[in-house]
Amino acid sequence: AQSVAQPEDQVNVAEGNPLTVKCTYSVSGNPYLFWYVQYPNRGLQFLLKYITGDNLVKGSYGFEAEFNKSQTSFHLKKPSALVSDSALYFCAVRPSGGGSQGNLIFGKGTKLSVKP
Amino acid sequence: DGGITQSPKYLFRKEGQNVTLSCEQNLNHDAMYWYRQDPGQGLRLIYYSQIVNDFQKGDIAEGYSVSREKKESFPLTVTSAQKNPTAFYLCASSKRTWASSGANVLTFGAGSRLTVL
C-alpha cells in the first residue's frame, strides 16, 4: 500500500538552531513530493515541492527539503529556526503517472515547537 | 485577492441533523476537494471534483454528499448517516490534475470546525 510516514509526532528546537522534520514514503513509480504547513485553526499552506531534477528544493520562509531516492525520504530543513515557525507540518506525496487525480497521500503531521 | 472561502467557521449540530458546509473559490480552478482532519490522523479525502457536474468519492465518503453545479462552488453535506462527524473540514482547489501534471499545488480554505452536541 502506498503511504507517507512522519515518524515524529513532535519536534522541539531552540530558536536559532537548525531544524529537521522527517518524512519517508512508499509509493510506486517516481513521486511528486510536497510539504505544507498549518497554523492553529487554519488551512494548510504550501511550502515547497519536488518534481524532478535537483534533489535540494528551496521553498517559502527559508525552508528547504532534500529528496533522497535511495532512502525514499524527503526531509524538511531550515538552517535557523524562528519561534514563528512553530506549527504543524505535513508531508504529502502523489504518485506520478496517472491514477486518481489530485489524490495526495498525507502524512499524519509533525508538530514543530520552537522555543526562544 | 483570490482564494477559498469556507463557511461557517464553527458549526454545531445535533445528532440526526444534516448540515452543509460551504466552499467558494475565485481562483478559476477546475478541481476542488474536501478533506477531513482529525487529531493525529492527518488529512483524509472525502470527495473531489475535477470538473463541473462531476465528482468522485475519496477514501471516506460514507455519510457525506457533495454537488458541483458551479465551477466556483463545492458544498459538502454531512448527513445523519455519518456516525462520527465531529472534525475539522478543509476545502481545497487546484488546477485540473492530469497524469502529466500531478504536481499541481492545492490551495486550502481556512476550514470549518463541526461539533456534534
Side-chain angles (χ1 to χ4, degrees):
Chain A
Q2 303 187 107
S3 63
V4 176
Q6 293 182 242
E8 301 154 316
D9 292 334
Q10 180 156 345
V11 171
N12 299 312
V13 178
E15 188 174 31
N17 283 0
L19 69 87
T20 298
V21 182
K22 295 179 180 178
C23 173
T24 59
Y25 63 90
S26 175
V27 298
S28 57
N30 296 314
Y32 301 118
L33 295 156
F34 303 80
W35 276 101
Y36 286 84
V37 61
Q38 184 181 35
Y39 297 98
N41 294 312
R42 301 297 303 274
L44 277 67
Q45 298 176 30
F46 169 73
L47 277 179
L48 50 80
K49 67 180 178 182
Y50 172 82
I51 304 173
T52 188
D54 193 346
N55 289 342
L56 185 64
V57 179
K58 294 188 182 297
S60 305
Y61 314 119
F63 284 93
E64 58 189 26
E66 186 170 11
F67 172 64
N68 187 318
K69 187 172 183 178
S70 63
Q71 296 185 5
T72 61
S73 68
F74 190 56
H75 301 331
L76 181 70
K77 300 181 180 183
K78 188 173 182 180
S80 178
L82 300 173
V83 172
S84 58
D85 292 331
S86 299
L88 187 59
Y89 290 81
F90 288 96
C91 180
V93 61
R94 184 181 183 278
S96 63
S100 301
Q101 291 93 345
N103 283 4
L104 285 176
I105 304 169
F106 283 89
K108 293 186 177 182
T110 297
K111 182 178 180 181
L112 175 66
S113 178
V114 182
K115 301 294 185 184
Chain B
D1 290 339
I4 297 181
T5 301
Q6 289 188 240
S7 63
K9 190 171 179 64
Y10 298 97
L11 184 61
F12 299 91
R13 189 193 95 170
K14 294 182 179 180
E15 287 191 17
Q17 284 183 335
N18 293 354
V19 294
T20 297
L21 307 180
S22 171
C23 178
E24 303 278 336
Q25 55 99 359
N26 60 4
L27 299 166
N28 199 33
H29 283 165
D30 285 306
M32 297 188 74
Y33 314 84
W34 274 105
Y35 289 91
R36 171 177 171 146
Q37 184 178 13
D38 296 282
Q41 295 194 43
L43 275 69
R44 293 181 289 171
L45 184 64
I46 304 173
Y47 270 97
Y48 63 99
S49 169
Q50 291 290 321
I51 197 169
V52 174
N53 292 322
D54 185 57
F55 50 83
Q56 305 296 327
K57 292 182 178 180
D59 300 319
I60 56 165
E62 184 175 354
Y64 300 97
S65 65
V66 293
S67 62
R68 188 81 188 279
E69 298 177 0
K70 299 187 299 182
K71 185 176 184 178
E72 302 79 17
S73 179
F74 192 41
L76 173 74
T77 297
V78 184
T79 75
S80 57
Q82 170 51 238
K83 298 306 179 187
N84 185 23
T86 295
F88 191 53
Y89 291 88
L90 288 162
C91 180
S93 72
S94 73
K95 295 179 182 179
R96 189 172 182 183
T97 302
W98 301 94
S100 59
S101 63
N104 287 334
V105 171
L106 297 184
T107 299
F108 283 84
S112 293
R113 187 168 297 280
L114 173 63
T115 303
V116 173
L117 301 175

